[in-house]
Amino acid sequence: MAQPGSDFKAIWEEAFALYQQETKRDLKNNPILAHLRSTDDLLTQLESQEEKFKGFRDKKAKLWSVLRGTMHGVELLGKFAMSALTMTPFSYAAPALGAVFFLVTAAQGVSKAYDTILSLLSDLQDFTGRLEEYAKAPMDSKLRRLIVEILTTLMEIFARSERLIRKERFNLYLSVTFLGGEKKIVDAKERLALLVQNETRLVESLTYHTALRTRNAVDRSHAMLQKTDDTTERSEKKLEAIANSMNESRRDGKDKEDQELLAQVFDEKLFANVRQIHEDVSERRLVGTGEWIKSESLYQDWTREKGPLLWILGGPGAGKSFLSSKIISHLQELYPQASHSQSRVTVAYFYIKEDAQQLRSVNAILKAIALQLAFVDSVFRNFAAEVCRLPENLVTAKRTWKNLFMRFFNSSQSRDSAAFLVIDGLDEAPKVEREILLQLLRHLHKLRLNKGVATCRLQFVLVGRLELLDSISSNWGSQITFVEVSALKNSRDITNYILDRINRVKALKIRRIPLEDRTKLRAIIVAKLEERANGMFLWVNLMLDQISNTSRPSDIVIALDAAPRELDRMIRHVFERIASDPGVDKSDLNEILAWVTCARERLTLGEMDTILKLSPPLGEGMPDLEESLRGQFASFFTLSRSDNLTTEKLQSRLRDKKRDSVLHEKNDENSRLDELDAIEEDDEQDHVYDSPSKSTHLEFSHASVRDYLLQEGRLYSRKWPLDLGIGVDVDESQFHITSTLLDVLCDEKHDREFGENTLSSHALNQCLDYLQLIARSSLDMCRKRKIIRPLFNAFNRDSIFEKWFTTASKPFGLWSQDWLAEDKLNGCIKRWYAEEAVSEHGFTPQEVDRMHISSKSTAALFQPMAQWCARKWLGIDAEDDDPELYIWFLHAYLGLVSPFVLPRVYLIPFLLFAIYPCILSCVSKPLTSPRTGQGQSFTNPKCIKDGAEGPQIPDNTVSLGTDGLGDFSLGRLRMLANFGKVEKSSTWHRRFATAVREARYISTALIEYVRSLSLDDTDWATMAGIAICYANRKEYILAIEWEQKALASLPYPSNRERSTRLQHLSSWRLNAGDMEGAIQAIGEAIRLAPIDHSVLFDYIDGLDKASKFKELIDLAKNPQNHLSVQEGEELLSIAVQFPDILDVFGRAARVLGDADVIRQTLERFLTQAEESNQEIKATLQLFSLTYFQFRYMDVGDQASYLWEILLTTILTRKSDGKLELAHMHSLNILTQLYFDEATNAEARGMDFNTPISKLRNLSRSARSTDLMVENARKGCTMLLGLWFRQHKNLEVSKRCFRPRVLEALDILTDEYPENDGYGFSFLARVLYKAGNSEDAQAAMSVAMVSLHKLKGASELKAKRPTEESNHMKIESTFAMSLHGLDNEATAREAIEDLDTLEEDEAKSSDDESPWFCDGQCKRPEEDWTGLYFCGVCPDVFFCDNCVDAVRKAKLGFRICNPDHSFWQVYPFDEKLINVATETVDGRKIPRASWLKRIREEWEE
C-alpha cells in the first residue's frame, strides 16, 4: 500500500509544476520561502519589497486583518503534514504564503487589485479558520488528503490570477475571478468548491472535533464547563450573528404593545430617515477620517462625563458630518450597543436637515433620541411606554424634555443609565427651534453644575457652523469653549479624501498617456488640491468634479490654477462652467434649482419628474433626469436611495454587467482584454440607473449650495450680476411653487395621471408654509388671483374634498397638521381673502361673501368640509366605505363650534385608523373625550391640568385611540350624526347603526338597523349588520338566520360579497355546532373567491374543527380539487407559512399517519420557490418544512442541526420583517434544544461543553432595535443562569438573573400601576428559574388573580342572568322606542333610557383571558383544574390534562420535554397574595417592604 506521505508528495510536486508553468517562477526552490514561516513573515517581506503596500495597509487595515486571519490556519498545518514536505528546506506553510506574496506584489499598488485580493481571501477565511482546529490533534488520512488538495488548488488560482495581473489585465482578473469567464480559473474554482464540499461532508460524517474532545475528556469539573473551546467559538460565529435578528417565539403582550406604541409615538419612520443619513455619511467617510478628535482634551473630558456638553464648530464644507459620524462610531466602540455588557449606556444621534421639515424640530430630535434609548435600555423603555400613554406629555419639546428625559434621568430608575447623544447640523435648525434646544441644554448644564455627574447622565455633542458662536454665547450668557474643525486639524483627512477620489480623474486612467506622465499629473493634482482646500471637503469635491472628465493634463493644470479659494466663489465658478455648456437645458435646471432650494421637505425623484412634466412644454419633462442629476449636475445634487447605493456604486455595477457581457460574448482573449480596458477607461459611457422613483430623494450635495442660491436669489444679499442664466429668484420661485401646488390640490385628475409620483401629498404638507412666505405686495392682481382662486376652491368644492380625504387615507398621503392650526391658518387665509383681487372680476358676489365669512374663523372656513363629511357618512348616496375618518373629523369640527362643551386643550390631532397621519390638528380650543366628554387629547388621553404651560402647538400628530370608535359615547355619536341635518333615510339609520356597532353599543345598533329595515325592507346590508350584532352577542342562531336573509336579498351577483357573507355564515355555524353546514358554506365561499387568503384560512380551520382530516390531507396533496383556480397551489403555499396552519395539517397527519404526505407537499413548495429564485419565499418554505418535521416527525438528534441551517439561511436574507415569525420560533426551539442536549450529555457522562457554549453565545448575542430580540436574549441568559444554578455556580448564575430581576422590580416600582400584572408575572418566572420559589409563588399568585376571577363556573353562571336581564330591559326599551316613533317626546325619553343601559352594558363587557394552554387541547379556562409553567421552555404553559400528556410523552407533537420540571401556578394559596401586595386606599399595590428585600438580595 502506498504511504500517505508519498501521495501528498506527488500532489505537491504537481502543484509546483503548474505554478511554474503559469508564473515562470520555480516556487519550490525560491529562496524567499525560507523566510516565510508565518503571516508576520509574509507582511514583513511585503513591506520590505514594496512601500506602496505598506501605505495601503495603513489606509485599509482590513486587508492586513484578513491576511492574518486567512493564513494563520495554514501556518498551523505544518504540525500534521510536515511528512509531505520533507523534501523541502522550508515550512509547510511557505508555498501558500509565497503564492500570496507574489500575488500581492503583482498588484503594483493598484487599489482595485488589492480590493479584489481582499475579497478573494475573505471568501477563503471561513475554510482556513477550520484548519486551526485540525492542527490541534491527529487528523484522519482522508481528511488530510482533502486539505492538501484544497491548498494546492488555491495555489493554482493564485498563480493564474498573478499571470493576468502581470499582464496589466486587472479588469479580466476581477471579472474572471468572480464572474466566471476565464476557463482555467473557472475549472480550478469548481474543483475547489467540490473539494470544500467534500471536506464539509467528511467532517460532518466523522463528527471530527466532537469525537476527539469526547475521547480526550477525562476531567469534567466545573473548570471545564467554564473553558470555552476555540473551535466552538469559531463554529458558532454564525449563530452569534444570527442572534442579531432572532425573535422570540411568543411575544409578551406588554412588550408587543409597548413596541408598537413607542414606534408610533416616536415615529419610527422618522428615525429610519435619520439612520439612513448616518449610514450614508458613514459609508462616504474614509477609514481614519476624524481620528484627530480623540486626542482633543475637551473631547476626552466629555467622554469621561466631566461636563454634559461638547460644542464642535467649523466652517461650511469642513467635514463636520464626517466628524459626527466618527464620534458616533468611537462611542459605539467604547459602549457597544450590541454587546453582552450589562451596562445601560446608550449612544444616540440625530442629523438636522434644513430641507426636511421633519428633521428640524426639537421635539422630533428628542423623540428620535428617546426611541434609540428605548432600543438599548429596557428600564427606560418601560418608563417611556407609560409616559407615551398620555400624549399631552409629549405635545411640545419642553414637555417631552421634562416628562421623558428629566423625570427619568433624575430618578432612581436611571442609576445605571447614561446616554451619549450626538446632534449634527445645529446651524440647519430654524432659529426658533435652535433657541428652544439651547434653553433645554442650558437647564441641563446648570443641573449638572449644582448636583454633579451622578445626576442626569446625559452627554450631548452639538455640531454646527462657526457663525453660531455669537448666538450660542448670547444664549449661554458667557463665552463657550469649543472644538474648532480647522484646516490645521483635518489636513490629513483632506489628503486621504483626495487620494481616495483622485481615481475618478479620467486622464489618470488613459493608457495612451505614459505611466510616468500620469504619475506626475497625479502628484500635481494632489499638491494643488491640498494647497487650496483650506480644510474644505466640499471645495475638493467641486474641483474634482470639474476636472474628472478632462482628458488633457494641461487643461487640468489650468483649471486647478484658475479655481478660486473661497467656497462661494468656487460654487459660482462651477455654475459658470455649467452655464457655458451648450448641452444644458437651463430652464429645466432652473426649475430643479427653484424647487430644491425652496422646498420645505425633500422631494423624491418621482416628484421632481412630475414637476418637470407640469412645466412647459407640458407632459415632456426631462427623460434623462436621473442620468443628468448623477452626471453633469452631480456637483450640486445628491440622490439618496433607500439601499444607500451611491452613483459610484451604481456605475460600478453597470460596468460589471458590461464586463460580464464581454466575457460571455467574445471568444478571442485579446479582443476581450481590449474591450475590458475600454470599459474601465470610459467614464462618459451612458448609464441607465433606473432608481425607484418613490424612495429615491433629491437634495443638494451640501447645505452651502443652498446658501449660495438663497444669497444670490435675493436682491439685498446678491454679490454677482445675474449674467449666467442659471439661478433662483427666491420671490418668484416661492410664488411659482405655491401656485403649482394649489393647482395640484384642485386638480381631480392629477393623482390618476401621475400615480405614485403624485404631488398631492407634498402639496397638502407644504402649501400653507408656502402661502405664508409669498411676498404679496410684489404680485399684481392677475398673479394674486392665481393664488386665491384655487385656494377658495380647495375649501368649497366637494370634488376636492373627495381628493383630500382619499389622499389622506393613503400611507403617502400626509395631511399637514397646520391646516387646522388657527393661529397660522386664520391669519394666512384671511390676508389672502382680503386682497383687492377678490373684489375684481373672476369672483361672484356669493363667493366674495363666502370668503368674508371664512376669514372670520377656522370653523367657518371648514364648515363646507364638515357638511360634506356628514353627507359622506350618512347621506342617501353614501358609499359603504369605512366612516371612521368622517366621524373623527366631525368630532374635531364640533370642538370649534361648541366651546361651552369643551374645557381648555390645545390640539386636535389623530391618525387615520391609528396608522396613517392626516389633517386635523389644532385649534386653540379644546377637544373632548368622545366617550366621557372630558377635555383630553387622543390615544387614551387625559385632560391637560390647570397650571400647565400655555397653549402649545405640537410639531407632529399623534394617533387615534386604538379602539377606533370605541372611545365615543352614544350621546356624542348622536350629536355628530345630527350635526349635518342629513335626511334620515334607511341609509342614514344603517350607517349610524354600523358606527355605534363599531363603538360596541350592540343593542342600539340593532334598533337603528331595524329602523333602517322599516324604511327599506330589501336592504341586504342592513340584514348583514343585524347578523353581526347577534354574533357579537354570541346569539349565533339568530345571526345565521339574518345572514341567510342577507344572502337571499343580494340584488346583484357579486361573488366577492357573497363569499364574505358565506365566510361569516361558516364561522357562526361552527360556533353553533353545525360542522357540516359550516364546511358547506366555506366551500362555496372559496369557490366564489378562490384567490382570497382569508377564505382559504377559514376553510382549513373549518375542516379542522369538523375533524375532516382526510379532506385536509387531500387538500395538501391535491389543492386543485379544492381550489378552483390555477393559483390554488400558490395560495396553499402561502397558507402553510403560518405555524397555526401547519399545526392543523400536523394534527390531521398525526391522526391518519400521513406525515409524509405533508412533508412532500412542503418540499414541493420549497423546490418551486427555489427554482423561481424567490429567496424570501424559499426561506419561509424552509421554515415551514423545518417546523413540521420537528413537531410532527421523528428527526432524531438532527433537530438542532435543522434549525441552525434555517437560521443561517435567514441571516443571509434581507427580509424587511417578512421572516420575523421564523426567527421567533427558531430562537425558542434552539434555546430549549441546547439546554436539553447539555442535560442529556451530562446524564450519559459525555461532554456537554458544546451545547452550553452555543447557549452562552446566544446569551451574548447582539442587542437589537427589536424588543422581541431583546426578550429572546433575556430568555437565553436566564436558561444559562438555570444551568449554572443547577451546577452550584451560584455567583455566575446570579449574574445571569440579576438584570432580569431588577428590571421586573423597576416595573413594579414605577409610577404606573397598569403594568403591575405584567411585572408580577415577569418577576415570578425569573425568580422561579433563579431558585427563589417562595417569592416566585407569591408573585405568580398576584398575576393569577385575573384567571381566578374568570375561572369559577358559579361566577360565570351568576353573571349570565344579569346580562340576560339587561338585554331584556334593552329590548323592552327598543320596543317602546319603535312604538313611539310618531311621538317625539316618547322617542327621546326611550333613547335616553336606552343610552344609559347601553353604557352600562359596554362597561360590563368581559375581558379576554391572558392565559393559554400550549397543548392544543383548546379547553376553555373554566374547565381547567390546574395550570403549569415549564421550568425550562420560554413561557410555555399547560393545563392539567396536557401536562399529564407531556410527562407521559403522549402529547402527540413536539413542544416540550417530558424530563422538564413543571411548576403548578394554579390553583394557588390566596394568602400568598398578601405577601406580595398590600392594601392602600382600598387598592392592592405591590408591598414595598417585600420589593425592598428582594432588591437588596439581588443588587450588587
Side-chain angles (χ1 to χ4, degrees), residues 32 41 212 233 399 423 788 962 1004 1241 1342 1370 1489:
I32 197 173
D41 293 341
L212 288 177
E233 290 287 334
R399 287 175 178 266
I423 299 178
I788 300 172
T962 55
T1004 298
V1342 181
I1370 291 172
S1489 59

Side-chain angles (χ1 to χ4, degrees), residues 667-931:
N667 296 319
D668 179 70
E669 181 175 340
N670 290 329
S671 175
R672 281 190 295 171
L673 297 176
D674 291 339
E675 291 201 34
L676 289 168
D677 286 341
I679 291 172
E680 186 66 21
E681 292 178 11
D682 186 8
D683 284 332
E684 296 181 350
Q685 53 189 301
D686 293 332
H687 294 296
V688 180
Y689 298 99
D690 198 24
S691 294
S693 62
K694 186 178 175 181
S695 59
T696 301
H697 288 87
L698 171 63
E699 55 193 328
F700 285 120
S701 58
H702 196 275
S704 298
V705 179
R706 178 194 293 270
D707 295 342
Y708 167 84
L709 290 168
L710 289 174
Q711 169 190 284
E712 294 304 299
R714 296 186 175 103
L715 183 63
Y716 63 85
S717 60
R718 188 173 297 147
K719 285 187 178 181
W720 294 286
L722 297 175
D723 55 352
L724 299 180
I726 294 177
V728 174
D729 183 321
V730 176
D731 290 340
E732 173 61 27
S733 295
Q734 287 173 343
F735 166 78
H736 168 63
I737 293 171
T738 306
S739 175
T740 300
L741 292 180
L742 283 171
D743 288 342
V744 167
L745 284 178
C746 298
D747 184 357
E748 300 166 27
K749 299 179 181 178
H750 176 84
D751 289 348
R752 292 194 298 273
E753 182 176 352
F754 294 102
E756 66 176 16
N757 294 330
T758 173
L759 277 174
S760 296
S761 176
H762 188 78
L764 287 166
N765 264 322
Q766 306 301 325
C767 204
L768 182 57
D769 282 335
Y770 289 126
L771 277 171
Q772 294 177 303
L773 293 174
I774 293 178
R776 296 190 313 281
S777 60
S778 65
L779 303 180
D780 58 27
M781 291 295 182
C782 180
R783 290 161 73 83
K784 286 179 180 178
R785 279 194 293 273
K786 289 190 68 174
I787 299 293
I788 300 172
R789 166 52 69 187
L791 185 62
F792 175 81
N793 291 343
F795 287 93
N796 289 276
R797 289 191 178 177
D798 289 357
S799 59
I800 299 176
F801 298 158
E802 184 80 44
K803 175 182 176 176
W804 280 33
F805 275 73
T806 301
T807 302
S809 68
K810 299 176 182 177
F812 55 85
L814 178 68
W815 281 16
S816 169
Q817 64 188 11
D818 292 334
W819 283 102
L820 283 184
E822 190 175 35
D823 58 338
K824 290 184 179 181
L825 188 93
N826 271 354
C828 179
I829 301 298
K830 184 176 182 179
R831 287 191 294 272
W832 279 103
Y833 280 3
E835 286 288 344
E836 294 179 15
V838 170
S839 60
E840 298 293 326
H841 64 275
F843 295 94
T844 67
Q846 293 81 1
E847 289 175 335
V848 172
D849 290 342
R850 177 67 196 143
M851 289 187 202
H852 178 71
I853 295 171
S854 298
S855 65
K856 297 297 183 181
S857 69
T858 306
L861 179 66
F862 280 97
Q863 184 181 10
M865 190 178 293
Q867 294 284 355
W868 176 83
C869 282
R871 294 193 299 274
K872 285 291 290 182
W873 174 22
L874 299 168
I876 193 168
D877 297 324
E879 300 175 3
D880 285 321
D881 57 352
D882 195 317
E884 189 171 350
L885 179 57
Y886 311 129
I887 294 171
W888 277 100
F889 186 99
L890 289 171
H891 175 59
Y893 180 78
L894 253 62
L896 302 173
V897 298
S898 305
F900 298 106
V901 177
L902 309 171
R904 183 174 62 87
V905 111
Y906 311 122
L907 69 156
I908 305 179
F910 62 82
L911 287 172
L912 179 60
F913 306 138
I915 298 176
Y916 303 139
C918 89
I919 186 172
L920 307 174
S921 70
C922 219
V923 293
S924 40
K925 290 190 178 104
L927 172 72
T928 60
S929 159
R931 182 179 288 276

Side-chain angles (χ1 to χ4, degrees), residues 263 341 522 746 1053 1055 1071 1357:
S341 171
R522 175 188 289 268
C746 298
N1055 285 352
N1071 284 294
K1357 289 179 182 179

Side-chain angles (χ1 to χ4, degrees), residues 1317-1355:
Y1318 168 78
F1320 276 117
S1321 174
F1322 182 23
L1323 180 62
R1325 287 174 280 155
V1326 178
L1327 289 178
Y1328 180 77
K1329 289 184 177 179
N1332 184 351
S1333 58
E1334 184 177 342
D1335 287 324
Q1337 189 69 61
M1340 188 59 83
S1341 297
V1342 181
M1344 283 287 148
V1345 168
S1346 58
L1347 176 61
H1348 185 63
K1349 290 181 177 178
L1350 291 170
K1351 172 71 177 65
S1354 58
E1355 261 187 281

Side-chain angles (χ1 to χ4, degrees), residues 1050-1255:
L1050 276 173
Y1052 48 86
S1054 168
N1055 285 352
R1056 159 62 72 181
E1057 193 58 54
R1058 290 186 64 82
S1059 178
T1060 300
R1061 306 270 63 83
L1062 287 165
Q1063 278 182 270
H1064 291 170
L1065 195 60
S1066 174
S1067 174
W1068 299 334
R1069 282 176 175 172
L1070 281 174
N1071 284 294
D1074 181 6
M1075 301 300 178
E1076 292 296 333
I1079 294 299
Q1080 180 184 357
I1082 201 64
E1084 185 179 349
I1086 206 166
R1087 284 191 293 275
L1088 292 171
I1091 59 173
D1092 189 328
H1093 296 124
S1094 64
V1095 181
L1096 177 58
F1097 290 173
D1098 284 348
Y1099 181 58
I1100 294 172
D1101 183 55
L1103 291 175
D1104 178 45
K1105 289 181 177 177
S1107 299
K1108 299 285 186 177
F1109 300 129
K1110 290 183 179 180
E1111 287 81 353
L1112 280 167
I1113 297 299
D1114 187 64
L1115 171 62
K1117 189 175 182 180
N1118 304 298
Q1120 66 276 5
N1121 294 344
H1122 300 255
L1123 307 172
S1124 56
V1125 289
Q1126 294 180 347
E1127 295 88 348
E1129 182 99 345
E1130 174 70 14
L1131 284 170
L1132 186 60
S1133 72
I1134 294 173
V1136 296
Q1137 294 171 12
F1138 295 90
D1140 288 346
I1141 299 297
L1142 287 169
D1143 285 333
V1144 170
F1145 285 109
R1147 284 191 289 273
R1150 191 174 69 218
V1151 172
L1152 300 179
D1154 282 338
D1156 283 337
V1157 173
I1158 307 300
R1159 175 183 57 78
Q1160 290 166 6
T1161 297
L1162 297 175
E1163 289 175 345
R1164 184 173 77 247
F1165 292 157
L1166 175 58
T1167 301
Q1168 290 169 354
E1170 289 175 338
E1171 290 177 349
S1172 60
N1173 295 319
Q1174 300 180 67
E1175 290 186 343
I1176 299 303
K1177 184 175 180 181
T1179 306
L1180 289 169
Q1181 298 299 348
L1182 179 61
F1183 163 69
S1184 300
L1185 180 60
T1186 304
Y1187 180 94
F1188 182 83
Q1189 288 179 308
F1190 173 75
R1191 273 212 163 186
Y1192 298 101
M1193 301 186 73
D1194 183 10
V1195 294
D1197 56 3
Q1198 293 294 307
S1200 57
Y1201 177 70
L1202 291 173
W1203 286 103
E1204 287 167 359
I1205 290 176
L1206 171 64
L1207 287 171
T1208 302
T1209 306
I1210 291 171
L1211 182 62
T1212 63
R1213 305 290 185 248
K1214 185 177 180 181
S1215 68
D1216 297 327
K1218 295 177 182 177
L1219 301 177
E1220 184 179 79
L1221 197 62
H1223 279 191
M1224 287 164 34
H1225 283 272
S1226 301
L1227 173 67
N1228 272 351
I1229 292 172
L1230 274 177
T1231 301
Q1232 173 198 334
L1233 288 174
Y1234 292 156
F1235 187 90
D1236 289 346
E1237 286 173 12
T1239 302
N1240 294 336
E1242 183 182 31
R1244 295 194 302 267
M1246 298 175 64
D1247 178 21
F1248 47 77
N1249 242 3
T1250 299
I1252 288 300
S1253 295
K1254 291 180 178 181
L1255 188 60

